[in-house]
Amino acid sequence: MENYALADGRAPAWTRSAGDRLHPLVAVARDLTELTGVPVDLETELFLRARLAGLAAPGRTSAGGSCHLMRAADGWVAVNLARPDDHAALPALLNLLGGGGELERDPLRRLRRAVAARPAAEAVDHAQLLGVAAAFLGSETGRRPPVLREHAGRVGTPKPFSAVRVTDFSALWAGPLCARLLGLAGADVVKVECAGRPDGARRGTPAFYRHLHHGHRSVVLDFADRDALLATVADADVVIEASRPRALRRLGLCAERFLAARPGRVWVSVTGYGRDDDRIAFGDDAAVAGGLVSLGPDGGGPTFLGDAIADPVTGIYAAQAAARSLREGGGHLVCVSMAACAAELADSAPGDGDRDGRP
């Protein structure tokens, strides 16, 4: 894997299992380097969070501890209880799955039993209905490319990255990693957060947050103030976001209007499954949707691969797509799907048995 080999011992030993699946990502990282001059250390970008936090090897519980692989009647389901609201939704989810009643001391055990009695797609639909991120193993394989670009604006004259301004509305990992890589190329990055809803990554390992946002300017706004919000994109060449399009439009932010206002602009939309799909996704469950998993020691079922691996993988795909658009004069609406990025890596893996995980 040339300069991107996972070989110097800095990452936890369990991350080595990801190496044989990274070949498409190596090509994307190489192209990003050719476009920007920025060397991409895949080991750092994929596994630094795990190393800094001292995360244990994932099994059927993710490295971060929030996402759980569960056997369904016809496959495997990942349910991600990443937020307090997700835990609060458990009683309703159990009711929908036919496992209602009072929660026992171990609600996850009860959820596993309820999921096991249902088809995987049905269990996922019920979870997503309640706003809980969930995925059916391999459901997104072959459905769409990792990156879709459409010309929604006018092509401009390419400018050096040192003259590019990026406004980053994204949070957590994938979007901020895209912004980090563009910043390393010389772009001026402004991170914009809602005063009432700051980036959830701030609650994680401080050193990792600093890694993603080093050198970026920070703006905290009341998103109800449309004028202030629109001012953050007035001079921007690139916008990075990871929100539902209709939610942004309610705030006055519209990708098509942004792109049409000036030639050469780029809008990067990071989604779980695409801009026309409102399903919620985080890195671990999106990886499962794409089939990017490992096999357990018994060889009979899936385990998580890496640490929320669809997040950093998507960030690298997004940065490469944004850099290429800028080099071509922009005008693109770039949609990057986390599940589709994971699926491309899963599809490239050497034979690992039957990864559809059917019981």
Side-chain angles (χ1 to χ4, degrees):
M1 294 178 61
E2 300 180 4
N3 294 331
Y4 304 106
L6 310 177
D8 71 358
R10 286 180 296 154
W14 52 266
T15 64
R16 303 296 190 267
S17 62
D20 62 359
R21 292 167 171 80
L22 296 183
H23 297 291
L25 191 62
V26 170
V28 171
R30 185 185 297 118
D31 188 54
L32 177 59
T33 298
E34 291 175 358
L35 289 164
T36 64
V38 175
V40 182
D41 183 340
L42 287 184
E43 180 174 316
T44 294
E45 303 308 345
L46 297 180
F47 305 125
L48 179 63
R49 189 176 79 163
R51 180 169 65 87
L52 290 173
L55 299 181
R60 292 202 175 124
T61 297
S62 64
S66 69
C67 197
H68 307 274
L69 272 165
M70 303 179 181
R71 189 187 292 270
D74 60 350
W76 289 85
V77 168
V79 179
N80 204 336
L81 305 173
R83 304 159 299 181
D85 285 352
D86 300 324
H87 290 273
L90 272 177
L93 179 56
L94 284 165
N95 280 327
L96 287 173
L97 292 171
E102 294 297 320
L103 285 178
E104 60 186 43
R105 288 185 179 180
D106 186 356
L108 279 175
R109 184 180 303 171
R110 190 165 187 172
L111 182 60
R112 289 182 190 278
R113 289 202 303 267
V115 168
R118 296 283 186 160
E122 182 180 323
V124 168
D125 286 346
H126 285 321
Q128 287 282 352
L129 180 66
L130 295 171
V132 176
F136 180 2
L137 176 59
S139 61
E140 301 305 304
T141 301
R143 290 177 66 94
R144 56 155 281 173
V147 178
L148 292 174
R149 299 196 318 176
E150 62 176 284
H151 268 296
R154 293 167 292 166
V155 176
T157 302
K159 58 174 69 173
F161 285 98
S162 59
V164 170
R165 181 179 175 190
V166 177
T167 298
D168 178 21
F169 291 106
S170 68
L172 298 177
W173 196 347
L177 176 54
C178 174
R180 163 182 156 77
L181 293 169
L182 294 177
L184 290 175
D188 174 25
V189 179
V190 180
K191 179 176 178 61
V192 181
E193 293 177 86
C194 177
R197 192 178 181 183
D199 187 342
R202 290 184 179 276
R203 298 191 297 269
T205 305
F208 182 67
Y209 187 86
R210 290 194 297 271
H211 168 78
L212 288 177
H213 299 287
H214 177 72
H216 300 175
R217 292 185 285 140
S218 177
V219 174
V220 179
L221 297 174
D222 178 356
F223 277 19
D225 185 345
R226 284 198 175 195
D227 290 341
L229 196 60
L230 290 172
T232 67
V233 302
D235 297 325
D237 301 291
V238 179
V239 164
I240 302 169
E241 49 84 10
S243 301
R244 294 180 178 89
R246 69 173 182 269
L248 289 176
R249 290 190 188 102
R250 284 198 298 267
L251 297 174
L253 296 171
C254 174
E256 291 79 8
R257 284 202 297 269
F258 172 82
L259 292 168
R262 176 159 52 83
R265 286 176 148 183
V266 180
W267 185 287
V268 180
S269 180
V270 176
T271 68
Y273 300 95
R275 283 174 63 83
D276 57 351
D277 192 322
D278 278 347
R279 283 179 292 170
I280 295 170
F282 297 104
D284 287 303
D285 51 276
V288 170
L292 188 59
V293 296
S294 187
L295 289 180
D298 57 2
T303 59
F304 288 103
L305 179 70
D307 168 30
I309 197 161
D311 262 313
V313 165
T314 300
I316 294 167
Y317 271 94
Q320 183 268 348
R324 180 152 294 284
S325 178
L326 287 166
R327 284 297 190 208
E328 294 173 0
H332 290 110
L333 172 55
V334 177
C335 178
V336 191
S337 159
M338 294 171 67
C341 289
E344 179 158 275
L345 269 62
D347 287 347
S348 74
D352 204 15
D354 182 7
R355 282 201 308 278
D356 71 2
R358 296 185 185 279

